[in-house]
Amino acid sequence: FRSSVFGVVLATVADHVVQGGVVFPGTGYLELARAGCSAALATSSAGLGSVFVVQPLLLQVDDLWVQCVVGDHDFEVSSGSLEAVVVQDGMAHCKGEHMVAHSSTTCDLCERRSSKAHCAETRPMYLAFDAVGLHYGPDFRRLKQAWVPTTCEDVTATLLHRSATQI
């Protein structure tokens, strides 16, 4: 599953700026992998596991493509030049495993949120992100609420605003 980065893809992620450069978002790898694996498995929902982001995808080259190669039990998201015809010429960005997800699998924020966590304001979080070079534009400021753990064993949970755009 391969696509040019420019056009709709770049317009969608143009506000995801890290230290002055547009970077493909981590959730983009997950969405690409989920869609590619779902198509390859002929299911409406593929489950992902053991996912590792190995290198950021910087959107700085005009002839860039991004792809998801799906194997029997794994996937890899990579990129390369449109002039490179051979898949092996790509640079790996994200790798992981896939499986058929069961519809009974749910994630309830109320169950995940620890009683030891406290609600954090999201505006100061984005200001802190800005201070370290993570410049999220309006389309990437989706956090509505976040619960921050007070100990290492606690789970962090977030509640997102509904996306204003559909791809």
Side-chain angles (χ1 to χ4, degrees):
F1 304 95
R2 182 186 285 190
S3 176
S4 169
V5 170
F6 292 89
V8 174
V9 174
L10 182 59
T12 303
V13 301
D15 278 345
H16 192 263
V17 179
V18 177
Q19 297 182 355
V22 178
V23 177
F24 195 73
T27 55
Y29 300 124
L30 299 176
E31 284 298 319
L32 183 58
R34 186 198 53 78
C37 293
S38 292
L41 296 172
T43 180
S44 61
S45 178
L48 305 177
S50 300
V51 177
F52 297 93
V53 176
V54 294
Q55 184 163 318
L57 171 52
L58 306 174
L59 306 181
Q60 299 171 333
V61 182
D62 288 340
D63 66 345
L64 191 65
W65 53 256
V66 64
Q67 71 180 8
C68 181
V69 176
V70 179
D72 290 338
H73 301 286
D74 60 350
F75 70 88
E76 179 178 290
V77 176
S78 58
S79 69
S81 168
L82 288 174
E83 295 184 17
V85 179
V86 182
V87 172
Q88 287 82 354
D89 289 344
M91 178 183 299
H93 299 286
C94 181
K95 298 178 179 191
E97 300 172 353
H98 65 77
M99 75 261 348
V100 175
H102 301 289
S103 59
S104 63
T105 305
T106 62
C107 179
D108 182 9
L109 277 180
C110 293
E111 291 176 17
R112 305 279 295 175
R113 197 171 34 193
S114 168
S115 61
K116 297 177 186 172
H118 67 277
C119 187
E121 294 290 326
T122 57
R123 188 176 188 306
M125 289 172 65
Y126 285 113
L127 291 173
F129 292 152
D130 255 4
V132 296
L134 302 173
H135 307 290
Y136 295 114
D139 286 344
F140 286 90
R141 293 186 178 230
R142 307 308 308 162
L143 291 179
K144 183 176 180 180
Q145 292 179 315
W147 291 269
V148 181
T150 54
T151 67
C152 293
E153 295 89 33
D154 293 333
V155 175
T156 300
T158 58
L159 181 61
L160 303 175
H161 289 284
R162 182 180 300 265
S163 178
T165 58
Q166 296 282 329
I167 302 174

